[in-house]
Amino acid sequence: SMCGSLAAVESFPERLSFCSDRNRADLVADCRRVFTAHTVEKEESESSGKTYWLPIGTSPACALEQIVQEILQWHQHRLSIHDATGAEWWTLWMDGEEDDVGWHWDADYEARDRGDVKHPFLATVTYLEAGGSVAPTAIVEACREESIMAGNGAVIHSAHLSLPVPGKHICFDGTLLHGAPVELRNVFGCVPRTGKKRSARSTLLVNIWRGHRPRDPQRLPSEVAAKLGPVTVASPFALGSQRAAASCELVVGRGVSAQEMSWSFGESDGLSVAFPVPLEAAEASKDADTIRLHFTDGRCGCVG
Protein backbone atom coordinates (compact mmCIF):
# COMPACT_ATOMS: atom_id res chain seq x y z
CA SER A 1 0.00 0.00 0.00
CA MET A 2 1.51 3.27 -1.08
CA CYS A 3 0.97 6.73 0.41
CA GLY A 4 1.48 8.85 -2.68
CA SER A 5 4.60 7.20 -4.02
CA LEU A 6 5.87 6.32 -0.54
CA ALA A 7 5.44 2.73 0.63
CA ALA A 8 3.82 2.62 4.08
CA VAL A 9 6.57 0.36 5.48
CA GLU A 10 9.68 -1.21 3.94
CA SER A 11 12.21 -3.56 5.52
CA PHE A 12 15.86 -4.10 4.55
CA PRO A 13 17.02 -7.13 6.56
CA GLU A 14 20.78 -6.81 6.07
CA ARG A 15 21.16 -3.15 5.22
CA LEU A 16 23.78 -2.46 7.88
CA SER A 17 26.54 -5.01 7.73
CA PHE A 18 29.07 -4.89 10.52
CA CYS A 19 32.70 -5.40 9.48
CA SER A 20 33.31 -7.22 12.79
CA ASP A 21 31.78 -8.02 16.16
CA ARG A 22 34.02 -5.34 17.56
CA ASN A 23 32.59 -2.80 15.13
CA ARG A 24 29.04 -3.70 16.19
CA ALA A 25 29.94 -3.60 19.90
CA ASP A 26 31.44 -0.12 19.40
CA LEU A 27 28.25 1.14 17.73
CA VAL A 28 26.11 -0.33 20.50
CA ALA A 29 28.33 1.32 23.12
CA ASP A 30 27.97 4.65 21.27
CA CYS A 31 24.17 4.19 21.18
CA ARG A 32 24.22 3.65 24.91
CA ARG A 33 26.41 6.71 25.53
CA VAL A 34 24.13 8.97 23.49
CA PHE A 35 21.05 7.47 25.15
CA THR A 36 22.37 7.97 28.70
CA ALA A 37 23.69 11.46 27.84
CA HIS A 38 20.14 12.59 27.16
CA THR A 39 18.42 10.47 29.82
CA VAL A 40 20.28 12.48 32.45
CA GLU A 41 18.80 15.73 31.12
CA LYS A 42 15.43 14.14 30.41
CA GLU A 43 14.02 14.10 33.94
CA GLU A 44 12.62 17.65 33.60
CA SER A 45 11.20 17.41 30.12
CA GLU A 46 8.55 15.41 28.30
CA SER A 47 9.03 11.69 27.83
CA SER A 48 9.77 12.02 24.12
CA GLY A 49 13.33 12.68 25.27
CA LYS A 50 15.99 14.54 23.38
CA THR A 51 16.66 14.25 19.67
CA TYR A 52 19.56 15.58 17.61
CA TRP A 53 19.76 17.31 14.24
CA LEU A 54 22.16 16.72 11.37
CA PRO A 55 21.61 19.38 8.69
CA ILE A 56 21.98 18.54 5.00
CA GLY A 57 25.58 18.84 3.81
CA THR A 58 27.22 18.83 7.27
CA SER A 59 30.42 16.90 7.92
CA PRO A 60 29.72 14.17 10.50
CA ALA A 61 31.71 14.47 13.75
CA CYS A 62 31.55 10.79 14.78
CA ALA A 63 30.71 7.31 13.45
CA LEU A 64 27.05 7.52 14.54
CA GLU A 65 26.56 10.84 12.72
CA GLN A 66 28.27 9.28 9.71
CA ILE A 67 25.68 6.46 9.64
CA VAL A 68 22.87 9.02 10.15
CA GLN A 69 24.17 10.94 7.14
CA GLU A 70 24.41 7.81 4.99
CA ILE A 71 20.86 6.79 5.91
CA LEU A 72 19.71 10.28 4.93
CA GLN A 73 21.64 10.31 1.64
CA TRP A 74 20.61 6.78 0.70
CA HIS A 75 16.89 7.54 1.11
CA GLN A 76 17.28 10.91 -0.63
CA HIS A 77 18.73 9.09 -3.61
CA ARG A 78 16.36 6.10 -3.44
CA LEU A 79 13.20 8.21 -3.13
CA SER A 80 14.37 11.25 -5.16
CA ILE A 81 13.93 13.65 -2.24
CA HIS A 82 15.16 17.08 -3.37
CA ASP A 83 13.96 19.30 -0.52
CA ALA A 84 15.26 17.47 2.57
CA THR A 85 16.31 19.85 5.36
CA GLY A 86 18.18 17.30 7.44
CA ALA A 87 17.90 14.28 9.70
CA GLU A 88 16.53 14.22 13.24
CA TRP A 89 18.06 11.31 15.12
CA TRP A 90 18.32 9.66 18.54
CA THR A 91 19.13 6.27 20.03
CA LEU A 92 17.35 3.82 22.30
CA TRP A 93 19.21 1.45 24.58
CA MET A 94 16.83 -0.72 26.62
CA ASP A 95 18.11 -3.67 28.62
CA GLY A 96 15.01 -4.50 30.72
CA GLU A 97 12.98 -7.60 29.88
CA GLU A 98 9.81 -5.48 30.03
CA ASP A 99 11.11 -2.30 28.39
CA ASP A 100 9.06 -1.05 25.48
CA VAL A 101 8.08 2.06 23.55
CA GLY A 102 4.54 3.45 23.90
CA TRP A 103 2.38 4.23 20.86
CA HIS A 104 3.03 7.69 19.41
CA TRP A 105 3.32 9.82 16.31
CA ASP A 106 6.71 11.33 15.47
CA ALA A 107 6.27 15.07 15.08
CA ASP A 108 7.81 18.47 15.59
CA TYR A 109 6.80 18.58 19.28
CA GLU A 110 7.60 22.27 19.68
CA ALA A 111 5.34 23.18 16.73
CA ARG A 112 2.67 20.76 18.01
CA ASP A 113 2.54 22.69 21.29
CA ARG A 114 1.69 25.74 19.18
CA GLY A 115 -1.11 23.82 17.47
CA ASP A 116 0.80 23.22 14.25
CA VAL A 117 1.13 19.49 13.51
CA LYS A 118 4.12 18.64 11.33
CA HIS A 119 5.49 15.14 10.79
CA PRO A 120 8.77 13.92 9.30
CA PHE A 121 8.57 12.70 5.71
CA LEU A 122 10.19 9.35 6.52
CA ALA A 123 10.86 7.58 9.83
CA THR A 124 13.55 4.90 10.05
CA VAL A 125 14.72 2.34 12.61
CA THR A 126 18.09 0.55 12.41
CA TYR A 127 18.55 -2.32 14.86
CA LEU A 128 22.07 -2.73 16.26
CA GLU A 129 21.43 -5.27 19.02
CA ALA A 130 18.37 -7.38 19.80
CA GLY A 131 18.49 -8.12 23.52
CA GLY A 132 16.36 -6.77 26.37
CA SER A 133 12.64 -7.24 25.81
CA VAL A 134 12.89 -7.85 22.02
CA ALA A 135 9.69 -5.82 21.61
CA PRO A 136 8.89 -5.65 17.88
CA THR A 137 8.31 -2.30 16.20
CA ALA A 138 4.58 -2.03 15.38
CA ILE A 139 3.21 0.41 12.81
CA VAL A 140 -0.45 0.88 11.87
CA GLU A 141 -1.51 2.24 8.51
CA ALA A 142 -3.84 5.24 8.07
CA CYS A 143 -4.80 6.85 11.46
CA ARG A 144 -3.67 10.47 10.94
CA GLU A 145 -2.89 12.31 14.13
CA GLU A 146 -4.81 15.43 13.06
CA SER A 147 -7.96 13.42 12.48
CA ILE A 148 -7.66 11.43 15.73
CA MET A 149 -6.95 14.60 17.74
CA ALA A 150 -10.06 16.18 16.18
CA GLY A 151 -12.03 13.40 17.88
CA ASN A 152 -12.51 11.08 14.90
CA GLY A 153 -11.90 7.39 15.40
CA ALA A 154 -10.05 5.47 12.71
CA VAL A 155 -10.34 1.92 11.49
CA ILE A 156 -7.11 -0.07 11.10
CA HIS A 157 -7.00 -2.40 8.09
CA SER A 158 -3.26 -3.12 8.24
CA ALA A 159 -0.60 -3.37 10.92
CA HIS A 160 3.10 -4.09 10.39
CA LEU A 161 5.25 -5.85 12.99
CA SER A 162 9.04 -5.82 12.75
CA LEU A 163 11.24 -8.02 14.93
CA PRO A 164 14.54 -6.42 15.96
CA VAL A 165 17.36 -8.18 14.10
CA PRO A 166 20.91 -6.74 14.20
CA GLY A 167 21.74 -4.98 10.92
CA LYS A 168 18.10 -4.71 9.82
CA HIS A 169 16.79 -1.31 8.72
CA ILE A 170 13.13 -0.39 8.32
CA CYS A 171 11.54 2.81 7.08
CA PHE A 172 7.96 4.01 7.08
CA ASP A 173 5.75 6.98 6.26
CA GLY A 174 6.52 9.56 8.98
CA THR A 175 2.82 10.29 9.61
CA LEU A 176 2.07 6.77 10.89
CA LEU A 177 1.23 5.77 14.47
CA HIS A 178 3.79 3.34 15.88
CA GLY A 179 5.34 1.89 19.04
CA ALA A 180 7.19 -1.18 20.30
CA PRO A 181 4.77 -2.89 22.70
CA VAL A 182 6.38 -5.66 24.72
CA GLU A 183 3.14 -7.70 24.60
CA LEU A 184 3.73 -8.36 20.89
CA ARG A 185 7.10 -10.07 21.36
CA ASN A 186 5.44 -13.51 21.46
CA VAL A 187 4.01 -13.10 17.96
CA PHE A 188 7.39 -14.09 16.53
CA GLY A 189 7.51 -17.68 17.84
CA CYS A 190 10.97 -18.09 19.27
CA VAL A 191 12.40 -15.05 20.98
CA PRO A 192 16.11 -14.96 20.16
CA ARG A 193 18.16 -14.84 23.36
CA THR A 194 21.67 -13.58 22.98
CA GLY A 195 23.01 -15.27 26.12
CA LYS A 196 25.04 -12.19 26.98
CA LYS A 197 23.97 -10.74 30.29
CA ARG A 198 24.18 -7.06 29.41
CA SER A 199 22.57 -7.41 26.02
CA ALA A 200 20.01 -4.69 25.21
CA ARG A 201 17.60 -3.63 22.50
CA SER A 202 19.80 -1.01 20.84
CA THR A 203 18.42 1.02 17.98
CA LEU A 204 19.36 4.07 15.95
CA LEU A 205 16.36 6.16 14.92
CA VAL A 206 16.62 8.59 12.02
CA ASN A 207 13.76 10.75 10.73
CA ILE A 208 14.09 12.58 7.44
CA TRP A 209 12.44 16.00 7.22
CA ARG A 210 11.48 17.83 4.02
CA GLY A 211 10.55 21.48 3.63
CA HIS A 212 10.57 22.09 7.40
CA ARG A 213 13.22 22.22 10.10
CA PRO A 214 11.94 21.33 13.62
CA ARG A 215 13.24 23.85 16.20
CA ASP A 216 13.95 21.59 19.18
CA PRO A 217 16.59 19.13 17.89
CA GLN A 218 20.13 20.53 17.97
CA ARG A 219 23.44 19.20 16.73
CA LEU A 220 24.97 16.49 18.98
CA PRO A 221 27.21 18.44 21.43
CA SER A 222 30.86 18.25 20.37
CA GLU A 223 31.91 17.05 23.82
CA VAL A 224 29.59 14.02 23.41
CA ALA A 225 30.72 13.40 19.82
CA ALA A 226 34.35 13.46 20.98
CA LYS A 227 33.71 10.49 23.28
CA LEU A 228 32.20 8.39 20.48
CA GLY A 229 33.80 6.28 17.76
CA PRO A 230 35.38 8.44 15.05
CA VAL A 231 34.32 8.84 11.43
CA THR A 232 35.80 5.98 9.37
CA VAL A 233 36.95 5.88 5.76
CA ALA A 234 34.42 3.20 4.89
CA SER A 235 31.23 3.41 6.90
CA PRO A 236 29.51 0.09 7.66
CA PHE A 237 26.18 1.32 6.31
CA ALA A 238 27.50 1.32 2.77
CA LEU A 239 28.12 -2.43 2.67
CA GLY A 240 24.72 -4.02 3.23
CA SER A 241 22.05 -5.23 0.85
CA GLN A 242 19.81 -2.53 -0.64
CA ARG A 243 16.96 -4.89 -1.47
CA ALA A 244 13.69 -4.52 0.40
CA ALA A 245 12.32 -7.82 1.67
CA ALA A 246 8.77 -9.01 1.13
CA SER A 247 6.95 -9.17 4.44
CA CYS A 248 5.08 -12.24 5.56
CA GLU A 249 1.40 -11.37 4.97
CA LEU A 250 -1.19 -12.76 7.39
CA VAL A 251 -4.86 -12.28 6.63
CA VAL A 252 -7.01 -11.99 9.74
CA GLY A 253 -10.56 -12.71 8.62
CA ARG A 254 -13.59 -14.72 9.61
CA GLY A 255 -12.69 -17.89 11.48
CA VAL A 256 -9.11 -16.89 12.24
CA SER A 257 -8.44 -17.24 15.94
CA ALA A 258 -6.89 -14.03 17.17
CA GLN A 259 -6.32 -12.32 20.47
CA GLU A 260 -7.81 -8.81 20.70
CA MET A 261 -5.04 -6.63 22.09
CA SER A 262 -5.35 -3.01 23.16
CA TRP A 263 -3.18 -0.25 24.56
CA SER A 264 -3.84 3.23 25.83
CA PHE A 265 -1.51 6.08 24.89
CA GLY A 266 -1.26 9.83 24.45
CA GLU A 267 -1.71 12.58 26.99
CA SER A 268 -3.05 11.08 30.25
CA ASP A 269 -3.61 7.86 28.27
CA GLY A 270 -6.68 9.40 26.65
CA LEU A 271 -6.35 7.48 23.38
CA SER A 272 -6.41 3.80 22.60
CA VAL A 273 -5.25 1.51 19.82
CA ALA A 274 -6.55 -2.05 19.43
CA PHE A 275 -6.30 -4.82 16.87
CA PRO A 276 -6.60 -8.61 16.69
CA VAL A 277 -3.30 -10.51 16.77
CA PRO A 278 -3.60 -13.96 15.17
CA LEU A 279 -2.52 -16.80 17.43
CA GLU A 280 -0.97 -18.75 14.57
CA ALA A 281 1.23 -15.78 13.72
CA ALA A 282 4.09 -17.41 15.64
CA GLU A 283 3.90 -20.47 13.38
CA ALA A 284 3.68 -18.48 10.15
CA SER A 285 6.43 -16.10 11.14
CA LYS A 286 9.02 -18.62 12.29
CA ASP A 287 11.38 -17.53 9.52
CA ALA A 288 9.99 -14.04 8.89
CA ASP A 289 11.20 -10.99 10.77
CA THR A 290 8.54 -8.64 9.36
CA ILE A 291 4.81 -9.43 9.34
CA ARG A 292 1.95 -7.48 7.79
CA LEU A 293 -1.42 -8.20 9.37
CA HIS A 294 -4.30 -7.54 6.99
CA PHE A 295 -7.75 -7.33 8.61
CA THR A 296 -10.76 -8.35 6.54
CA ASP A 297 -14.34 -9.79 6.75
CA GLY A 298 -15.36 -7.22 9.34
CA ARG A 299 -12.30 -7.92 11.50
CA CYS A 300 -10.31 -4.73 12.05
CA GLY A 301 -8.46 -2.64 14.54
CA CYS A 302 -9.31 0.84 15.76
CA VAL A 303 -7.69 3.98 17.11
CA GLY A 304 -9.50 6.72 18.98
Side-chain angles (χ1 to χ4, degrees):
S1 50
M2 307 289 276
C3 314
S5 61
L6 183 66
V9 180
E10 288 181 289
S11 172
F12 301 86
E14 294 172 346
R15 186 64 190 94
L16 180 64
S17 56
F18 306 99
C19 16
S20 64
D21 283 348
R22 171 78 196 274
N23 163 257
R24 186 165 78 99
D26 287 347
L27 284 175
V28 168
D30 282 0
C31 257
R32 185 179 180 180
R33 280 190 195 102
V34 171
F35 182 68
T36 46
H38 75 217
T39 316
V40 175
E41 303 168 39
K42 204 169 81 175
E43 305 306 322
E44 315 297 301
S45 66
E46 60 174 299
S47 59
S48 61
K50 195 175 179 62
T51 62
Y52 300 100
W53 183 254
L54 190 67
I56 285 286
T58 314
S59 298
C62 58
L64 270 186
E65 277 194 341
Q66 183 175 17
I67 295 177
V68 169
Q69 185 176 63
E70 295 204 356
I71 290 171
L72 169 61
Q73 290 173 344
W74 178 55
H75 287 297
Q76 275 183 286
H77 177 72
R78 196 176 72 85
L79 301 169
S80 308
I81 305 169
H82 302 298
D83 56 349
T85 52
E88 179 188 16
W89 69 278
W90 66 104
T91 65
L92 284 177
W93 187 89
M94 306 191 302
D95 63 342
E97 297 274 319
E98 298 301 319
D99 285 355
D100 67 359
V101 179
W103 290 92
H104 64 284
W105 287 277
D106 286 351
D108 176 343
Y109 295 111
E110 186 270 335
R112 178 197 271 161
D113 290 343
R114 292 184 280 112
D116 181 15
V117 179
K118 286 196 161 55
H119 298 286
F121 171 69
L122 191 72
T124 78
V125 180
T126 306
Y127 305 100
L128 301 177
E129 187 180 35
S133 69
V134 201
T137 307
I139 303 144
V140 295
E141 287 188 39
C143 312
R144 305 269 156 185
E145 179 180 12
E146 296 83 326
S147 172
I148 302 292
M149 289 321 220
N152 305 313
V155 174
I156 301 171
H157 294 293
S158 281
H160 300 256
L161 308 178
S162 165
L163 189 70
V165 176
K168 176 178 166 185
H169 174 83
I170 64 167
C171 60
F172 55 95
D173 175 336
T175 65
L176 299 182
L177 178 66
H178 60 285
V182 72
E183 295 83 358
L184 290 174
R185 67 183 165 197
N186 300 330
V187 173
F188 290 91
C190 58
V191 172
R193 268 276 156 259
T194 44
K196 282 209 234 69
K197 258 216 178 89
R198 287 303 282 163
S199 171
R201 185 185 190 281
S202 309
T203 45
L204 171 64
L205 301 112
V206 179
N207 286 352
I208 297 172
W209 286 85
R210 320 176 53 161
H212 175 74
R213 165 18 172 150
R215 271 189 218 170
D216 277 350
Q218 298 299 323
R219 187 77 193 268
L220 181 73
S222 51
E223 62 274 17
V224 178
K227 295 191 182 104
L228 305 180
V231 172
T232 51
V233 179
S235 157
F237 196 73
L239 305 173
S241 162
Q242 306 201 10
R243 302 248 319 270
S247 60
C248 162
E249 182 112 354
L250 293 178
V251 176
V252 184
R254 201 177 288 117
V256 172
S257 64
Q259 185 181 355
E260 298 291 336
M261 302 192 81
S262 66
W263 297 266
S264 45
F265 71 99
E267 222 164 292
S268 22
D269 275 347
L271 296 171
S272 72
V273 54
F275 52 87
V277 177
L279 301 170
E280 88 279 9
E283 199 45 50
S285 63
K286 260 211 301 278
D287 306 314
D289 58 47
T290 306
I291 298 177
R292 177 172 180 252
L293 301 178
H294 184 64
F295 308 118
T296 180
D297 294 338
R299 302 291 289 270
C300 63
C302 57
V303 175

